[in-house]
Amino acid sequence: MQEHDLSFVRVGAVDHKSARLVARIPPFPLVPDNDQKGTGARVAYRPTKPVGRWIMGPEIKVSADRDWVGAVTVDGLWASTEYEYRLLLPTLSNSHHPYFPRLQTFTTFPDPALSSPISPHATGESNSGGTHFTFAATSCVKPGFPYRGPSKKREIRGAKYLLNEVERQGVKFLLFLGDYIYADTPVYPGPKKEAYWTRYRQVFASPWMKALVEKIPMIAIWDDHESFNDWSESVALKHPERFPPAQTAYETYLGQANPAPSVGDTDSTSATMGEDEGGRGVHYYDFRYGDAAFFVWDTRSFRSANKAVDDDSKTMLGERQKVVFLDWLAKVNQTITWKFVVSSVPLMTLWSLTDDTWSAFQTERDALLDVMQYIPNVIVLSGDRHEFAAASIRTTITEFSTSPLSQFYLPIRTLSQSHNRGATGEDILLKYLPDGNSKFSTFEVDTRIANQPVVRVRVTIDGEEAWAVDVHGKQLDIPPPPKGIGSLGKSLLELLGFKVSLQVETKVFITVEAHHFFWNTQRRSWF
């Protein structure tokens, strides 16, 4: 099924004042007896509580060279406000677009200025600036799996289960952690963007998946199967014909819906233009929901060969992404309660029979953990393994690895406490749930009581709750704000305990809870 007639509109990145809309709008006759073709749609939106006037928004422009997919940002919105929107014909501003007959809604995120944790001098009373919300995370999906006959080829049963939890738990958004398509399964169709586009259309055309992404915002990061199995930068260089069409297709259907790429505190022109080492696209990004911050790694575009010697030169993130990430850690350390770090492949080293996870990149992992372990309230989210596992890393970091949404699960057990850093006690297995064709996790973030921040995690497997656990954080040690407005920028950094100097080609210096770290990008080590 090519799904050339697929149409949809969905919400991607949202913040407290804007929302990103992505739509696929195939051509159609504007008037029954006219051969003129439609080339997009115009957005109209309004607040719902109370109902406001319709506001004419931007026009979504589409074309054949992007498979009739376009994106726009609706900005100038109010924080924590529900909006409804509709798509209109581009030339007839008051006429509903025939592909989109119904209204859809989204809700903007809270204003960060009103969501920060309160002073530690307060007691454990209710925190008026706290945050309470739920999001979901999963990865790995293929329509029609497990196979239930030709009439079920579009079916993604995991999306149906997740839709149920969206309604029940009030899930605000979905983080999809990679393998949204399987470009190389069952047969690799060749390095053509049209072939990759077909795979994306097939996923979005699944009725339950379409309903899911039209219900809540979804942002994503790619992993290997968006191109081909276990690919890395070195593999892509050996097969240069494969990478460009895979990246184009990813950006068309997923990438342009995401938050803007992270560039850190750098004046690099290439970074601000969305390019990284070697002119490649920047797909890593960060965003915030109230008193929770997220950094989404790109573990594919800059990684060394999986089988390369694990020394100081081997990398999964690349130098610039690492510098930007460390800069982000410095900013959120004592300013935001919960920090979520997203890796498409597991950070824990407890899985065997693979060199595609961080277990084959332990030198770089150690360098990152040497800082992350001193940052309060860090949770790592990952996928890829078609199993669920939770682990404690260096006692201060908790990881939840969840997959697949709809795919096979491994018939043999490949995870053990005795593997890699598990044998030393650095990685401690908390829970292992390998069976089930559909898995996702929901995370209820609650910082309303300042000295009792908590994340309540629920794991759903094949439509049933399989495990639940609470992750308890600690209150941040935040001094009162400075009195002098004129010195706010410098004084606030000093009061937060940071001394940050970012020079893209040389160094990052971070002070964290009296532990001093200096990352030398030339020698790739901490001093």
Side-chain angles (χ1 to χ4, degrees):
M1 296 182 293
Q2 298 296 306
E3 307 291 358
H4 288 300
D5 60 346
L6 169 68
S7 61
F8 68 82
V9 58
R10 69 178 185 90
V11 178
V14 180
D15 60 25
H16 65 290
K17 58 184 179 181
S18 68
R20 187 81 170 154
L21 301 184
V22 178
R24 186 175 194 272
I25 312 170
F28 74 101
L30 288 176
V31 181
D33 295 329
N34 193 323
D35 61 0
Q36 184 180 10
K37 300 295 183 182
T39 56
R42 182 170 295 280
V43 179
Y45 62 97
R46 66 181 178 182
T48 64
K49 300 174 182 179
V51 175
R53 290 183 176 182
W54 285 106
I55 302 169
M56 296 304 297
E59 182 178 341
I60 302 175
K61 297 182 179 181
V62 300
S63 61
D65 61 358
R66 285 285 177 170
D67 202 31
W68 308 106
V69 179
V72 294
T73 298
V74 179
D75 52 21
L77 306 177
W78 293 96
S80 301
T81 301
E82 183 184 74
Y83 289 84
E84 60 184 5
Y85 68 96
R86 59 182 181 177
L87 296 192
L88 310 176
L89 291 173
T91 56
L92 302 172
S93 60
N94 292 321
S95 299
H96 263 295
H97 198 293
Y99 287 162
F100 309 99
R102 65 183 182 86
L103 302 177
Q104 295 175 220
T105 63
F106 64 84
T107 301
T108 50
F109 288 2
D111 187 336
L114 303 178
S115 306
S116 298
I118 63 175
S119 167
H121 305 293
T123 64
E125 298 176 355
S126 178
N127 177 6
S128 60
T131 293
H132 184 217
F133 72 101
T134 301
F135 71 94
T138 187
S139 70
C140 309
V141 61
K142 187 165 182 61
F145 197 96
Y147 184 72
R148 291 185 173 89
S151 64
K152 306 291 186 180
K153 292 174 68 174
R154 282 182 165 186
E155 186 174 273
I156 298 177
R157 191 167 291 269
K160 176 184 178 182
Y161 299 144
L162 183 48
L163 264 172
N164 292 338
E165 292 305 308
V166 167
E167 296 286 351
R168 191 174 73 87
Q169 298 187 42
V171 174
K172 297 299 184 183
F173 61 89
L174 169 63
L175 270 173
F176 204 91
L177 311 182
D179 294 345
Y180 194 79
I181 65 168
Y182 279 74
D184 53 345
T185 302
V187 178
Y188 178 62
K192 301 176 183 178
K193 63 183 181 182
E194 290 79 11
Y196 291 104
W197 282 340
T198 298
R199 294 282 199 263
Y200 283 103
R201 291 196 302 268
Q202 289 168 345
V203 175
F204 279 108
S206 169
W208 289 327
M209 196 69 187
K210 186 171 183 286
L212 176 63
V213 300
E214 290 181 342
K215 179 72 174 178
I216 59 171
M218 182 185 75
I219 56 178
I221 190 63
W222 66 359
D223 196 38
D224 53 342
H225 289 286
E226 280 83 1
S227 183
F228 48 91
N229 188 50
D230 290 357
W231 74 271
S232 62
E233 178 197 18
S234 58
V235 175
L237 292 174
K238 293 179 181 178
H239 302 279
E241 76 284 356
R242 292 185 178 185
F243 180 76
Q247 177 168 255
T248 296
Y250 167 78
E251 291 174 344
T252 298
Y253 277 93
L254 297 181
Q256 65 176 330
N258 290 337
S262 300
V263 297
D265 287 340
T266 171
D267 293 329
S268 168
T269 301
S270 63
T272 58
M273 292 177 62
E275 295 182 353
D276 208 297
E277 295 104 325
R280 293 174 293 256
V282 173
H283 301 302
Y284 50 87
Y285 56 88
D286 66 276
F287 66 98
R288 180 175 175 180
Y289 189 110
D291 197 14
F294 297 76
F295 194 104
V296 181
W297 284 339
D298 177 359
T299 68
R300 288 292 162 188
S301 299
F302 313 108
R303 74 157 65 190
S304 306
N306 290 342
K307 296 185 181 298
V309 175
D310 192 0
D311 57 17
D312 288 344
S313 66
K314 189 175 185 180
T315 181
M316 187 179 286
L317 301 183
E319 286 304 315
R320 186 185 298 278
Q321 181 175 188
K322 197 176 326 183
V323 168
V324 172
F325 172 65
L326 293 172
D327 176 56
W328 175 83
L329 280 180
K331 291 177 180 177
V332 302
N333 174 34
Q334 290 291 340
T335 61
I336 299 177
T337 299
W338 287 104
K339 300 89 174 172
F340 293 90
V341 178
V342 177
S343 174
S344 64
V345 296
L347 186 64
M348 69 180 82
T349 62
L350 302 178
W351 269 287
S352 64
L353 302 182
T354 179
D355 53 16
D356 194 51
T357 72
W358 280 96
S359 62
F361 295 77
Q362 293 187 31
T363 302
E364 184 173 61
R365 187 188 105 124
D366 285 345
L368 295 169
L369 291 178
D370 285 346
V371 175
M372 291 170 65
Q373 71 177 26
Y374 296 108
I375 306 294
N377 309 329
V378 172
I379 292 177
V380 175
L381 309 175
S382 64
D384 179 67
R385 300 307 303 155
H386 294 211
E387 298 178 317
F388 172 85
S392 173
I393 302 175
R394 296 195 183 183
T395 72
T396 63
I397 300 167
T398 308
E399 178 176 5
F400 297 94
S401 186
T402 312
S403 64
L405 179 62
S406 282
Q407 251 287 18
F408 67 86
Y409 63 92
L410 297 177
I412 59 174
R413 302 297 174 252
T414 63
L415 182 146
S416 171
Q417 183 63 57
S418 64
H419 293 156
N420 300 303
R421 296 296 175 84
T424 68
E426 182 174 319
D427 297 357
I428 301 295
L429 181 64
L430 302 176
K431 192 69 173 180
Y432 181 39
L433 300 169
D435 296 342
N437 294 116
S438 169
K439 304 182 184 75
F440 57 84
S441 296
T442 58
F443 301 84
E444 181 188 356
V445 181
D446 192 347
T447 67
R448 291 174 295 179
I449 300 178
N451 62 357
Q452 298 178 38
V454 62
V455 175
R456 303 177 183 93
V457 184
R458 295 178 177 86
V459 182
T460 299
I461 299 180
D462 293 337
E464 301 292 334
E465 184 173 298
W467 187 54
V469 66
D470 291 351
V471 181
H472 295 277
K474 69 176 186 177
Q475 186 176 12
L476 301 186
D477 185 17
I478 302 178
K483 296 180 180 179
I485 298 299
S487 60
L488 178 62
K490 181 178 179 181
S491 299
L492 186 56
L493 285 175
E494 292 174 347
L495 288 169
L496 293 174
F498 288 104
K499 295 178 181 178
V500 182
S501 174
L502 177 59
Q503 300 175 17
V504 173
E505 301 301 330
T506 37
K507 62 185 179 180
V508 176
F509 184 78
I510 305 178
T511 301
V512 182
E513 295 185 357
H515 295 270
H516 302 272
F517 302 94
F518 177 82
W519 175 257
N520 187 305
T521 60
Q522 304 301 321
R523 298 184 60 181
R524 301 171 56 81
S525 61
W526 291 103
F527 291 90

